[in-house]
Amino acid sequence: MRWLWLLILLAACAPQQTTPRAGGVVVATGLLVVRNSAGAPLLSSYLPLAAYPGSTLLSQRYAGRQSESRFQSEASFEELRQYLRDQLRVGGWQILDGRYQPTPALEELRIRRANDTLRLVLRQVSNWVFALEVK
């Protein structure tokens, strides 16, 4: 019986193929991602931030509440910035303060929900590649 549970667990952790999923998000081959209940890939394992529709997740790194995701998108930095702010508000997070820098594109936010305070950094790495860090 234990081998059956092990087999189910291994199947659930199998690498994802590079195919569009919920919201048209593509996940790079071999990249394991956390998904929400609708199947959309999340940019953070701790925050309910679904990947931007039409984007491609390139890499993710998790360590408890901290995470970093890199993704490719044809959306502008401003569109991504507003999308993440909207998702935070819907998730019940309050934006305490922030810092925006247009060149190179970077936004740093301090957010809070109940007694939990985090720092979120969105930056443009190259033309169509972005990184989101949760600290």
Side-chain angles (χ1 to χ4, degrees):
M1 187 65 169
R2 285 185 182 175
W3 64 269
L4 180 59
W5 285 110
L6 181 60
L7 183 61
I8 291 170
L9 180 61
L10 287 174
C13 294
Q16 303 291 323
Q17 294 296 317
T18 307
T19 55
R21 294 282 297 202
V25 175
V26 175
V27 176
T29 301
L31 182 63
L32 298 175
V33 298
V34 177
R35 296 177 185 273
N36 65 15
S37 60
L42 298 177
L43 294 174
S44 168
S45 61
Y46 189 73
L47 296 173
L49 300 174
Y52 189 81
S55 64
T56 300
L57 287 177
L58 303 173
S59 67
Q60 289 189 318
R61 181 179 50 85
Y62 299 109
R65 297 182 335 165
Q66 298 182 1
S67 64
E68 180 180 6
S69 293
R70 285 188 182 240
F71 58 98
Q72 187 173 359
S73 177
E74 292 184 11
S76 70
F77 185 81
E78 185 57 40
E79 288 173 310
L80 294 170
R81 187 175 164 230
Q82 189 58 51
Y83 176 79
L84 292 173
R85 284 173 166 261
D86 291 344
Q87 283 199 52
L88 288 168
R89 285 188 191 100
V90 168
W93 290 87
Q94 176 187 9
I95 297 173
L96 299 174
D97 56 42
R99 177 175 70 97
Y100 173 68
Q101 173 182 307
T103 308
L106 175 122
E107 180 168 54
E108 186 173 341
L109 300 173
R110 197 166 55 97
I111 60 174
R112 179 178 67 202
R113 183 173 69 181
N115 293 328
D116 202 2
T117 303
L118 296 170
R119 193 165 58 109
L120 200 77
V121 179
L122 174 65
R123 61 188 163 84
Q124 190 163 6
V125 177
S126 64
N127 285 345
W128 305 111
V129 178
F130 302 88
L132 178 72
E133 293 178 70
V134 176
K135 301 176 182 184

